Amino acid sequence: MTALFVSAVLGVVLTVTSLYAKAAIERRFYRRKKIPSLHAVNVLSIGAVIASVYYSLANMSLHGKLLFYVYFGTIELLLPLYVLFSIWFARYEKKEKKYTTSADKKVLYIKQKYLAHRRQEHYHSKTS
């Protein structure tokens, strides 16, 4: 039971952190171009980590075939969770974006929330 609970919590934490890392990689190296293959890499790597943790905590004997069953079962259970979190994360990124762009990637306007935040920081400066 402990192995199942730890695996579930680890799955949620690793999913959120891997989506954040994917967004940071896209922002840093590819200038916000979406890379779908990173989703596959995330799912396979998270599945491997969760399967190995479950395998070690459940005190299973070392059978190679059993590890693959645990791994594929983990991926089956992880996919719906990953899809839900990736949709939520995409909506969150869109909401937190500082500006709106047109189809030809030109900035249309900066969001009011960001401008208000910038003005508040200016008023707290030590020089005024």
Side-chain angles (χ1 to χ4, degrees):
M1 190 67 176
T2 303
L4 189 61
F5 179 73
V6 170
S7 298
V9 170
L10 191 62
V12 170
V13 170
L14 286 175
T15 301
V16 171
T17 56
S18 68
L19 284 170
Y20 181 75
K22 177 190 168 298
I25 288 170
E26 287 174 346
R27 186 173 41 247
R28 173 82 174 154
F29 296 112
Y30 298 103
R31 300 186 185 211
R32 295 194 185 267
K33 290 180 186 172
K34 300 298 180 194
I35 306 167
S37 62
L38 286 179
H39 285 297
V41 171
N42 280 345
V43 169
L44 294 176
S45 61
I46 292 170
V49 170
I50 293 173
S52 63
V53 167
Y54 180 81
Y55 195 76
S56 64
L57 289 177
N59 293 329
M60 295 179 176
S61 60
L62 291 175
H63 297 300
K65 220 176 204 183
L66 187 60
L67 180 62
F68 286 117
Y69 290 141
V70 171
Y71 177 68
F72 291 124
T74 302
I75 289 177
E76 283 180 22
L77 294 175
L78 179 67
L79 274 174
L81 179 74
Y82 188 86
V83 168
L84 287 176
F85 273 108
S86 65
I87 291 170
W88 171 79
F89 195 76
R91 287 184 182 173
Y92 173 76
E93 275 187 329
K94 188 175 181 181
K95 186 179 95 175
E96 292 297 318
K97 198 172 183 182
K98 296 178 183 175
Y99 52 87
T100 303
T101 58
S102 63
D104 58 349
K105 304 292 183 187
K106 292 183 181 177
V107 175
L108 293 178
Y109 63 90
I110 299 174
K111 292 186 178 177
Q112 189 68 28
K113 182 175 98 174
Y114 177 69
L115 290 174
H117 179 69
R118 295 280 298 210
R119 277 190 234 122
Q120 287 174 357
E121 286 178 1
H122 178 67
Y123 290 135
H124 296 295
S125 69
K126 297 188 189 249
T127 58
S128 57

